[in-house]
């Protein structure tokens, strides 16, 4: 069992200007910290989360032995990011459904639940909100900012928005922007949610319903893109959930019943997700992914965008990740090298696809451990 | 403009036993023929269709100049499959929504529209139905059976079910079965349709509605898997449909409006498809794909299954097809070579992904032309 974690929260009254031109005020950020901030306030590591995650990065909650944080294999006493050395901060992003202010909360301007009126938030907005939290915690410069997938985009954006506020950035299984196929998958998932009759234009809370059909489809699509072809074939292949005994093929010949194990797995994942994830949050987070594109303001030149960055970098990618392929990480590496930045890059030969960044893989965890041990003074 | 095509149909009274144990009677097959059957009845080429296609393989309908058949670039006078030499037959499969008996027709046993009660049909069932049509046309042996994608599966199955009824098989962009990821995408599409409240358990005709939401999602998912990453980036990239003039990024910052060109394209494709495709047909055809697996009856040994085949083969795959990758075609090639069959195999370096099998690609069309010219006597 892991160490005990305690969620905290902080409320910010002053309006936060957003990239869209809107702003948000009187909002709360949920966060957790692990380890101890040293006297020099120099050993803080900020962890940024991806789509389906939160401030609960490591440890377990009291009385809930199976409540490990989403990066508990990475972060903790003696782990790759060693909380005996570092003061680790996990923060839940604005618009999430796990504790920070989001679409299911009340809009102070109207007294009504935000719903679909929650302002569109971007990676840059999240970073600005995180910076305010660090200000309040009295942390001027991070030892490192770190994240995987969408979290990696936030880590990268930190280095461009606040180049002097971190000494290192660790960007795992990420990309400098979404490509057309990534956006396409997000869009299908969003359409499934938005066209669910229970979505009610994003104001489903008032109708006491949840667009579960749409959320299920969204999650099923997501799961396919998180896994590699190989690992799907190895885990599920063409295995039937339950072969029919008196059939030559074992098939039950039905268009709607579960026939294959992979169908059963996806339906289960979809059902589970639809029980706890907020539909408006899904729209917001996938849009933040779509919009992230630091090169955009530089005529599409990533190297020009990355000239802002001053810190040192570790990038990690996974060989079978077809969502954010190694090629996408290499684009970032190249852009940083074009600017003569100090970059370490590890391409991990892992079978699990995009999911690998969350999994127990000794080579991966060792690379991160070595980087922190040898390059990141506390 | 292409030559004129005329749809025909033939009704079969005798029950056709299906693989599921059910049977279907008094059914009609829509078909078209191009060219002339020679006196020896030896120059017939049967074309099998994939998911969203029909018996209208080539030519145009009178007065409809833009009504080219789906393989009109491949088949016609002087084309790769030359209708001046061959008698080409296109046939619409059972369960389709383009002319042959399908879920929107009346079940003679009940007097009611089949709907979701249309029996599950397999690739093997389709081949059996096609064989009956050939019997009726007086064709004992085909010069060739040919198809792409799901059509390629039918061509392959022909060689196993009726090994002496063809001299050649041309199997394009196909696979010996679906892998877990292929089944997963089918299942998400089916769930989108089945959970659409307008589906009414497959009996939506009686309610005068169509589960368009589900069909749209299904088609959007399909389209993503038909295109390669590269061609999507080239055609759409991150281009906005209409950049906002007074925004630094050009973004409109909306979770529900169309922002990117790729979104606009997918929504358009989804809308169009939902206007004409039948939801029950979608379920039936994707299930036929899932079920196809000739190795299954041979303990998973493809080579053992392919020992049945007697004819000569041309296999074609496309380098960027990630739905049915070249690797899947090579499995078939290997299985045939294990049985010392005569196999030609071309892996076409094409950027378009799975869709390439329908497109104008000189190298591809030339390979098929050369095969027919040099190896397939009429």
């Amino acid at each position: 069992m892991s160490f005990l974690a305690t969620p905290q929260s902080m409320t910010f009254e002053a309006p936060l200007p957003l990239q869209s031109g809107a702003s948000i005020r009187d909002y709360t950020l949920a966060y957790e910290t692990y380890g101890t901030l040293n006297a020099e306030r120099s050993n803080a590591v900020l962890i940024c989360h991806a789509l389906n995650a939160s401030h609960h990065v490591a440890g377990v909650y009291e009385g809930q032995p199976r409540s490990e944080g989403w990066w508990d294999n990475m972060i903790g006493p003696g782990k790759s990011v060693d909380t005996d050395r570092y003061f680790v901060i996990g923060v839940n992003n604005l618009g999430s459904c796990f504790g920070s202010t989001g679409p299911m909360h009340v809009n102070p301007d109207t007294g009504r639940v935000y719903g679909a009126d929650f302002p569109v938030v971007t990676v840059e907005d999240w970073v600005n909100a995180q910076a305010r939290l660090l200000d309040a915690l009295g942390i001027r410069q991070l030892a490192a900012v770190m994240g995987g997938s969408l979290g990696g985009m936030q880590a990268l954006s930190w280095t461009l928005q606040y180049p002097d506020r971190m000494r290192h950035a660790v960007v795992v299984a990420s990309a400098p922007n979404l490509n057309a196929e990534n956006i396409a998958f997000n869009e299908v998932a969003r359409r499934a949610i938005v066209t669910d009759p229970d979505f009610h234009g994003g104001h489903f809370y008032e109708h006491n319903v949840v667009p579960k059909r749409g959320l299920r489809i969204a999650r099923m699509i997501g799961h396919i893109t998180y896994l590699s072809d190989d690992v799907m074939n190895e885990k599920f292949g063409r295995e039937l959930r339950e072969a029919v005994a008196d059939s030559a093929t074992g098939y039950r010949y039905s268009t709607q019943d579960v026939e294959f194990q992979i169908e059963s797995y996806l339906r289960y994942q979809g059902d589970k997700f639809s029980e706890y994830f907020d539909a408006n949050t899904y729209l917001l987070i996938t849009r933040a992914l779509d919009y992230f594109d630091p090169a955009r303001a530089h005529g599409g030149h990533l190297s020009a965008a990355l000239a802002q960055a001053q810190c040192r970098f570790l990038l990690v990618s996974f060989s079978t990740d077809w969502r954010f392929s190694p090629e996408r990480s290499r684009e970032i590496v190249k852009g940083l090298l074009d600017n003569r930045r100090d970059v370490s890059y590890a391409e991990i030969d892992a079978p699990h696809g995009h999911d690998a960044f969350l999994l127990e893989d000794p080579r991966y965890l060792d690379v991160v451990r070595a980087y922190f041990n040898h390059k990141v003074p506390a």
Side-chain angles (χ1 to χ4, degrees), chain A:
Chain A
M1 206 184 83
S2 195
F3 63 96
L4 286 184
T6 311
Q8 299 175 257
S9 69
M10 194 177 290
T11 297
F12 300 80
E13 286 175 17
L16 179 75
L18 302 173
Q19 220 182 354
S20 65
S23 69
I24 184 165
R25 66 180 175 91
D26 295 320
Y27 62 87
T28 297
L29 294 184
Y31 69 99
E32 292 183 7
T33 68
Y34 324 110
T36 308
L37 188 62
N38 62 15
E40 300 79 24
R41 298 176 173 272
S42 68
N43 68 334
V45 175
L46 176 69
I47 306 294
C48 306
H49 71 75
L51 198 147
N52 180 31
S54 72
H55 51 292
H56 184 42
V57 180
V60 294
Y61 293 143
E62 189 154 19
Q64 300 176 49
R66 308 242 351 230
S67 63
E68 286 90 355
W70 56 271
W71 230 347
D72 190 68
N73 54 13
M74 176 71 80
I75 292 157
K79 294 187 180 172
S80 298
V81 182
D82 187 349
T83 51
D84 291 336
R85 282 183 76 206
Y86 302 104
F87 177 66
V88 175
I89 306 159
V91 54
N92 189 214
N93 284 325
L94 280 171
S96 172
C97 52
F98 293 129
S100 293
T101 299
M104 68 296 299
H105 293 116
V106 171
N107 180 348
D109 289 341
T110 64
R112 284 181 60 202
V113 168
Y114 278 109
D117 300 330
F118 194 87
V120 168
V121 281
T122 64
V123 166
E124 288 80 358
D125 296 332
W126 286 335
V127 168
N128 287 332
Q130 292 161 9
R132 283 192 177 182
L133 176 68
L134 293 194
D135 293 343
L137 295 175
I139 296 164
R140 216 207 63 78
Q141 192 186 55
L142 295 162
V145 58
M146 176 172 178
S149 190
L150 174 57
M153 290 175 169
Q154 292 161 61
L156 183 60
S157 204
W158 258 102
T159 72
L160 310 178
Q161 294 176 248
Y162 299 98
D164 61 346
R165 291 196 72 169
M166 77 291 300
R167 298 190 298 282
H168 295 268
V170 180
V171 177
V172 182
S174 196
N177 61 25
L178 295 200
N179 65 16
E181 188 185 83
N182 297 144
I183 297 173
F185 279 121
N186 280 348
E187 172 67 0
V188 182
R190 280 191 298 263
R191 294 312 291 167
I193 290 170
V194 166
T195 63
D196 184 330
D198 285 336
F199 183 65
H200 293 286
H203 295 284
F204 50 90
Y205 317 101
E206 300 165 15
H207 296 79
N208 289 312
V209 290
V210 168
K212 286 194 179 184
R213 303 179 198 87
L215 280 165
R216 284 191 199 106
I217 298 295
R219 186 57 164 177
M220 291 170 88
I221 294 170
H223 257 278
I224 298 176
T225 69
Y226 304 153
L227 298 180
S228 73
D229 215 27
D230 285 353
V231 86
M232 259 204 197
N233 284 331
E234 199 186 301
K235 274 175 91 164
F236 306 105
R238 296 182 49 81
E239 213 179 307
L240 302 181
R241 193 175 60 165
E242 197 188 350
V244 175
D246 61 350
S247 151
T249 55
Y251 295 152
R252 60 191 64 239
Y253 296 103
S254 162
T255 57
Q256 296 185 40
D257 294 348
V258 165
E259 184 80 87
F260 296 93
Q261 286 288 13
I262 180 68
E263 298 174 317
S264 175
Y265 169 79
L266 287 177
R267 288 198 196 185
Y268 173 76
Q269 295 294 341
D271 286 347
K272 212 172 59 170
F273 189 72
S274 73
E275 296 290 332
Y276 70 83
F277 208 86
D278 179 73
N280 285 308
T281 293
Y282 203 89
L283 304 186
L284 287 167
I285 295 191
T286 55
R287 244 339 179 199
L289 275 160
D290 290 355
Y291 283 141
F292 181 67
D293 189 11
R296 189 169 192 90
H298 299 265
H301 298 293
L302 184 61
S303 299
L306 297 184
Q308 300 292 324
Q310 301 300 329
C311 71
R312 296 174 172 195
F313 283 82
L314 169 64
L315 278 104
V316 181
S317 71
F318 299 95
S319 54
T320 58
D321 184 349
W322 61 280
R323 193 165 197 251
F324 294 155
S325 69
E327 191 189 342
R328 304 308 320 269
S329 284
R330 278 186 245 124
E331 289 175 38
I332 301 174
V333 171
K334 181 187 178 299
L336 290 167
L337 292 177
D338 284 345
N339 288 292
R340 298 165 185 273
R341 295 293 171 268
D342 183 328
V343 191
S344 301
Y345 174 54
E347 201 166 303
I348 308 287
D349 191 9
H352 300 97
H354 189 62
D355 251 7
F357 91 89
L358 294 168
L359 300 178
E360 192 85 29
D361 181 315
R363 281 174 297 187
Y364 162 44
L365 296 178
D366 285 352
V367 160
V368 177
R369 177 189 297 274
Y371 188 85
F372 273 90
N373 277 355
H374 301 309
K375 298 206 58 162
V376 186

